[in-house]
Every structure is written in C-alpha cells, then in structure tokens.
Amino acid sequence: GGNYDPENRDDEENVSENEGDKKEEEKEDEGEKDEEEESKLSTGIISIRFVDENVMDLEEPVVQELNLGEYTFEAKSIPGYDLLSPAIQSVTLSEDGEQREVVFKYRSQSPEVKPEKPEPVRETVAPKPKPEPEATVEGIILVAEPYKTTYFIGEELELDGLVVCKVFSDGREEEVAVEDLTITGFNSEKAAEEQIITIDYHGFKTHFTVSIVEKEESPGILTRIFGNPLLILIIALFCLLLILIAILVNMCRHDKPQAAKKREKSTPLIIIAVFVAIGLFAYGGAVYLLAQMEREEIAQDDESLGIEEGSGKPGITNIAIFGVDAKDGMTGRSDAIMVLTLDEKNDKIKITSLLRDSYVNIPGRGMDKINHAYAFGGPELAIRTINENFQLDIRYFVSVDFTSMPAIIDAVGGLEIELTDREAREIPGINSGGIHLLNGEQALRFSRLRKLDSDFERTRRQRDIMEATIESALKTPVTAYPGMLNKVFPHLTTNLTPNQILSIGGRTVLDNIDTIEKTQFPPSSLGKGQMINGVYYYVFDLEEGARRLNQYIYDDQPLE
C-alpha cells in the first residue's frame, strides 16, 4: 500500500550485496584457519638417540618434527664403539602430535677411547615416496641360496628359492627378479665337491656353491653295508674271528678225529656266541658314549608340546636344535634355533634355521620374539611355541651352549669355512677372505657376527657352522670316533634316549642318507623387520608361513 521508490530499492540491494560479500569472506577466513590448524596437527616428533650399553647418551639426541608417515634412519659409525642394534631402523608417525624414538645402541671397544660426535643421521626414505632419482645401485647381496645345492651329473641348474637384493646408495634394498640376473659357473658334466656359481647384476657380483655328484643306481644291501666305515670294521672283525675259528677246528680234526666230530656239533654255537658277544660289546660301547650327554626330561603328551591331531607324516622325524648363548648376558635365550629333519622319503637331512627375531605367539606370554620362549620355559615351551605357530610335530631336542662350541669344533678337528673379506677382518688370526680352517674360538666368533649385515646373514653363518660340524664329524676316521664323541657328547643336552639315537642313526645309515639341505625361515619375501614399542622384530604372515614350512618339511616343496 506504499509508494514505490527506485532509489530506496537500489540502496537495499547494495546493502544485501555487502552483507553477502562479508559472509563469504568470513567463510573463507574460517576455512583458512581450519586448514592452518589441520596442518599444524598433522606432524609428529622423532628423537634419534645414540646410547651405550647402559643406555647413556653418547651425544645429544637429534629431534626432528616431521609429517605423518614412515621414516627409515641409518646409524653412523662412532670411533671407539661397535654398533649393537640394527644399522637401519624404521619408525612410523601415525597420529597427530605423536612422539617416537629411534635408539642406536653401541658398545665401547676400549675404555680409553672417547667417542666423537656421530655424523648426522641421514634420512633415507621419505614418507611413502618413490625412490629418489639420484639414488644409485651400489651392490647386490645374496639373501637366500637356491633350495637345491646338490646335483647329479647331467642335471640342469635350478634357481628356485634364490633371493638377491640390490642395495641403493640411500640404504634401501630391493629384490632383483631372477630373470634379470646373469648366472655363470655351473657345469654338471663331471663331479665336483664344490663348484662356485657366480651371480652378476650389471657388473655387481656375488656367488653361492653347489656340489656335483655321480648318480648311483638304487643301492642294494651290500652297497649300503660297504659304504659305511663302521660296518666295514665290524664285518672285518667278524671275518677274522671266523677264520681263526675255522683254523682251530681244522687243526683239531687233523690231531683228534674222534674229538673233532664232537666239536663239530658245537661249532655253530661257538660262532653264534662270538657274534652275540661282539654285538653286545659294540652296543654297550655306543650306549656308554651316548650316556655322556646330559638328559633333560620334558612332557611327551601332544597338549603339552602343542602338537595338533593329525600333525606329522610317516618317514619324517623332526628334532629341535637350540644354541643357547650365555656369553653376552643372554643366559637362557636360544640365540640359534634350527629344526633338523630326517627325511627318509626323500633320503635327505634338512636343516631349517628360524630367525631368532621372528614375531610369534608364545603360549601364556603373547606376541614376542621366538628366542624368548626358551628363556621363559626352557626347551618344552620353546618346542611348544614352534609346534603351535607352525603346526609341526617336534618331540625331541638337542641343545648346546654356544660357549661350549669351541670345544666341540676342536674335537672334530676344526671347520673349513669360506669367508668374505669383511668377515675375515672380524676374526682373529685371519686377514683375507677365502676358505679357511677355523678353530673353535674362530668359528664361534664367525657365527656371532651380525653388525656387518643382518640377522639373515647371521643365521646363514650359524647354518654353515652346523653343516660344517656335521661334515667334519662324518669325515673323522672310525678309529677316532670314541675319543671324538667322548669330547662332544658331554656338551650336549637332550631328551633322546641312547636307544632312540641309535635307532635314528641306524635308519640314516640303512637309507644311505648323505644329502644335507639347509635353508632359512621365514624367507625374506614373506615379511620385514619392524620396530614395535622401540624393539626390533621380524614380522610376517604366520598363517602363510606355517603353510609353507609344512609343505617344505613334510612334502619337500620349496619355501618360496
């Protein structure tokens, strides 16, 4: 009902437009504030510490404020100190404002040497980026050898199980496809006790060794008997006794025909008595030597050992081998864990080395390193942990304190081990790489080397020591067996009875088992090292790992 005024309408429109502009500006300001607040909260703090064995800082910690993501840090050498912890450690910032710590632990070489300031920590991997363009390949490392290392004449090389990684200048490692590798040195035209196979990747080289043997026809009972030095000795004694008895009987026949006829009836009894006497003598000697081992009884029911119903297969016997390292303050922990498998189906002995840092479930303790099980509950809990995590049927064990290894190795005459130049520099009395005869102390030092590379290489060295010890023992002359075993057995602890050991040894001889196959588990392709609550673990898919390990041990399938 009022008069229309065009000027008033223009003023109202201008006011409306100004108010709209102010509201838009306010919204933009609020958005910018939200973005600023969000960006401020999307970072975390990582502290890098360099500490000694008593967890005392050698230098001021390096503190970095970084965006959320995964970071990898590499330690630097500190003069006068040896690195104890892994050289490369990873940590993840997953929450706003999170604080994480990376600790590099060192051991003093000499009290007089004062530490110098470590080189700045070099960040090698940015959060989830692609490799830096400037990173270059500096070398290759052999992570795992092929599963097959023994070949008959005329067979072709098999590379199943071979794992080679290229190492970048920023510390990263990346697996190389087998088809990208150049393999040379394999020749199966004639037998060779040790043949070096060279792996080449763009000029970078590494190698592994294989054996070429002559293919034998299916051995008969005579071949098996005469292929064993101990049985040859026993048979020779039997034959000598029979010859002596025959000579005596013949002499009696010539001198006293009538009396000889009476003795003829008793001759078979004499022969049988001689056989029984010698057999009892040999058995008694073997039992005496085996009794030198320390006995430790553990439960044998399936529930206590974590054996599931239906586990295991005929012809497969598994024995857990524990190397307990007490010298470095690790009393009770199994520094080396192996599963020795007597595979009568495929006529071979398998030595499977388990990574001691493997992240598994320890019954009653939860997720932890597998080598802690021995410290928590001795061999029984350690066996149960292996059985439950990997569905195996282990009932027996043999353990040895690593401090006793020098005496054992010296008893078998030392070990022939091939060393790299880097390994040789860490062993007293050896200056260069190559094949060396190591005494007990040198072999122990070799098996403990870790700071040079990784836990994978450490377990490889332990497998080398185990295999070399077995091979040296088998090469020992039969006449030296009693003395050697008398020195070795007192250092071993087991729940096997002498009769069980003789039974396993007898089956090994009768089946002519002389092939030793070694591998490590889990393979590097199945998992990776991780820092959890400041502790390093090797984390992998337990279900998939159990499936692969079962197929390898019971069905002779490759782990990869």
Side-chain angles (χ1 to χ4, degrees), residues 5 34 43 93 121 155 177 256 297 303 346 350 434 461:
D5 188 348
D34 291 340
T43 62
L93 293 174
V121 176
E155 283 191 324
K256 297 180 180 181
E297 296 291 345
E303 183 178 357
N346 298 286
K350 300 173 183 175
R461 286 187 275 267

Side-chain angles (χ1 to χ4, degrees), residues 20 44 47 82 90 168 232 294 302 343 389 415 488 546:
S47 301
D82 290 331
S90 298
F168 290 90
I232 292 176
E294 183 179 347
D302 291 354
D343 187 348
N389 282 274
L415 306 178
V488 171

Side-chain angles (χ1 to χ4, degrees), residues 379-430:
E380 184 174 320
L381 181 59
I383 290 174
R384 181 180 176 184
T385 300
I386 298 172
N387 285 338
E388 287 194 1
N389 282 274
F390 307 123
Q391 287 79 60
L392 301 183
D393 65 334
I394 302 173
R395 297 182 183 276
Y396 310 110
F397 79 94
V398 176
S399 66
V400 56
D401 193 318
F402 263 92
T403 57
S404 301
M405 284 302 294
I408 295 174
I409 292 169
D410 289 338
V412 300
L415 306 178
E416 282 193 351
I417 299 292
E418 183 173 3
L419 307 176
T420 65
D421 289 334
R422 294 178 65 194
E423 292 169 338
R425 288 193 291 268
E426 298 293 328
I427 299 176
I430 298 178

Side-chain angles (χ1 to χ4, degrees), residues 434-451:
I435 298 177
H436 295 272
L437 180 64
L438 305 185
N439 60 31
E441 290 295 336
Q442 291 172 326
L444 178 62
R445 179 66 180 268
F446 171 75
S447 70
R448 281 176 165 163
L449 292 178
R450 186 180 183 182
K451 66 178 182 178

Side-chain angles (χ1 to χ4, degrees), residues 128-172:
K128 301 179 181 178
K130 294 183 179 179
E132 293 292 338
E134 61 270 19
T136 57
V137 178
E138 292 190 336
I140 60 174
I141 57 173
L142 179 64
V143 177
E145 295 181 359
Y147 301 120
K148 186 171 183 179
T149 56
T150 302
Y151 294 83
F152 292 120
I153 291 177
E155 283 191 324
E156 295 183 356
L157 181 65
E158 297 180 12
L159 299 178
D160 291 342
L162 176 65
V163 178
V164 175
C165 289
K166 52 186 175 182
V167 182
F168 290 90
S169 57
D170 59 6
R172 291 183 299 108

Side-chain angles (χ1 to χ4, degrees), residues 26 59 213 239 355 535:
E26 290 175 357
E59 290 293 335
V213 299
C239 292
L355 291 180
V535 180

Side-chain angles (χ1 to χ4, degrees), residues 203-254:
F204 301 107
K205 297 181 180 181
T206 184
H207 68 273
F208 61 93
T209 60
V210 300
S211 299
I212 312 297
V213 299
E214 294 182 358
K215 191 170 184 178
E216 300 178 356
E217 298 296 330
S218 298
I221 185 64
L222 292 179
T223 304
R224 292 177 176 177
I225 291 175
F226 290 102
N228 184 276
L230 186 58
L231 289 179
I232 292 176
L233 178 63
I234 294 174
I235 292 173
L237 290 173
F238 286 173
C239 292
L240 180 61
L241 287 172
L242 289 175
I243 291 172
L244 291 174
I245 292 172
I247 292 173
L248 290 174
V249 171
N250 189 52
M251 291 175 61
C252 291
R253 284 178 176 175
H254 285 289

